[in-house]
Amino acid sequence: MIRSFHFIGSVGVSPLHKWKKPLPFLFLQSLPKSRTASSPIEFPSFFVQSQPQRCFRAFQMSASRSESNTEADAASASSSAVSPSTAAPKPKIKFCQSCGGPTKMVVPDGEEKMRAVCTLCSRICYENPKMVVGCLVEHDNKVLLCKRKIQPSYGLWTLPAGFLEIGESAAEGATRETLEEACAEVEVLSPFAQLDIPLIAQSYIIFRAKMNTPDFSPGPESLECALFPLEDIPFDSLAFSSIFVTLKMYIEDVKAGKFKFHYCTINKRPGASPSDTHAFAVDNHLQS
């Protein structure tokens, strides 16, 4: 996993990477059903330059917000108005994984964040982000997508991807997920993108890959699988914001005739559903 980026005040990055303008699609509005991947994209008026000639920040909120999202935002605003002294924070990790004792939220000596600490053995129970790995499979100028058979985002399209398992590399996990979800044996070509989603504590690593044989079929977690020409990718029916962003970056690289490695942060709006392609912004887009 890439650890060379740090964003405190100013942006630091490995010498191997350089800032470039983010891709034109990063205003992140859902495409109308009539729009195709090759349709021209207009820049919105809220595109704000954050550093002259170096990077842009796009921020966009859903114009037509659903009732569930409105209720979630209202609940969030209500909870933020409550005084911190009215209730102590409850740990997500309720019991110590070492001795089984109950935990409580405290700031350990030498740290600044609240942590779940065992009340019996004083072990600190750290919570770390989940790593998601997957493949962007290319074949005959098409990409392989799977329609999800499970929640969240049942019935929507995604790249074959899933959580990294203990004991496997990111590339091994990505090929395993592709075999499980699309019954396709693939060969990894190169890393393509890392996308961090801080709000849900997930980090995606997506690899470009090719099929060893042109054979695929739905796995237990997929309703169907299909190869899509780039102009026919169903952007109005994608499962996750990470897949939306990845495919848009891929299309731009194909048009440019050169594949790059991309890094970005996806900042989701609190309370948004996983498949809401309005309620997020992309920041810190790096490419090399």
Side-chain angles (χ1 to χ4, degrees), residues 105-229:
M105 294 296 290
V106 298
V107 179
D109 292 341
E111 299 200 24
E112 298 178 352
K113 291 186 176 182
M114 297 280 284
R115 311 282 189 185
V117 178
C118 180
T119 57
L120 298 183
C121 70
S122 299
R123 178 189 176 99
I124 302 173
C125 304
Y126 291 99
E127 296 179 76
N128 302 110
K130 298 280 190 180
M131 177 64 70
V132 180
V133 292
C135 286
L136 198 165
V137 182
E138 310 165 340
H139 184 73
D140 289 341
N141 298 316
K142 301 176 182 179
V143 296
L144 180 65
L145 298 180
C146 303
K147 181 176 285 189
R148 288 176 61 83
K149 193 178 179 179
I150 58 175
Q151 294 292 356
S153 302
Y154 178 95
L156 298 179
W157 293 95
T158 183
L159 295 172
F163 291 112
L164 184 66
E165 298 280 1
I166 298 295
E168 64 184 4
S169 68
E172 289 171 342
T175 57
R176 171 187 54 77
E177 287 289 343
T178 305
L179 182 61
E180 291 177 358
E181 297 185 5
C183 299
E185 295 185 359
V186 300
E187 176 186 345
V188 166
L189 298 175
S190 67
F192 178 69
Q194 178 180 353
L195 308 95
D196 290 340
I197 313 179
L199 184 66
I200 59 175
Q202 290 183 3
S203 183
Y204 280 70
I205 294 183
I206 303 296
F207 295 88
R208 288 178 53 234
K210 66 177 183 179
M211 285 192 283
N212 293 331
T213 61
D215 301 316
F216 60 90
S217 60
E221 297 183 355
S222 302
L223 292 169
E224 60 179 296
C225 301
L227 288 168
F228 286 88

Side-chain angles (χ1 to χ4, degrees), residues 36-49:
T36 65
S38 60
S39 300
I41 301 174
E42 298 179 358
F43 283 13
S45 59
F46 48 77
F47 218 27
V48 180
Q49 186 172 355

Side-chain angles (χ1 to χ4, degrees), residues 75-83:
S76 176
S78 175
S79 62
S80 64
V82 177
S83 171

Side-chain angles (χ1 to χ4, degrees), residues 15-31:
L16 297 177
H17 298 77
K18 59 183 180 179
W19 282 100
K20 292 187 178 182
K21 289 171 61 180
L23 304 177
F25 67 84
L26 291 182
F27 61 89
L28 300 177
Q29 284 179 309
S30 292
L31 296 176

Side-chain angles (χ1 to χ4, degrees), residues 66-114:
S66 65
E67 292 183 2
S68 60
N69 287 344
T70 304
E71 291 172 359
D73 291 348
S76 176
S78 175
S79 62
S80 64
V82 177
S83 171
S85 62
T86 59
K90 295 182 179 180
K92 293 182 180 179
I93 303 175
K94 296 183 178 181
F95 299 98
C96 177
Q97 297 177 342
S98 180
C99 72
T103 64
K104 65 177 180 179
M105 294 296 290
V106 298
V107 179
D109 292 341
E111 299 200 24
E112 298 178 352
K113 291 186 176 182
M114 297 280 284

Side-chain angles (χ1 to χ4, degrees), residues 235-248:
F235 281 100
D236 57 311
S237 301
L238 292 180
F240 305 110
S241 55
S242 54
I243 305 305
F244 182 99
V245 173
T246 298
L247 289 171
K248 280 295 185 179

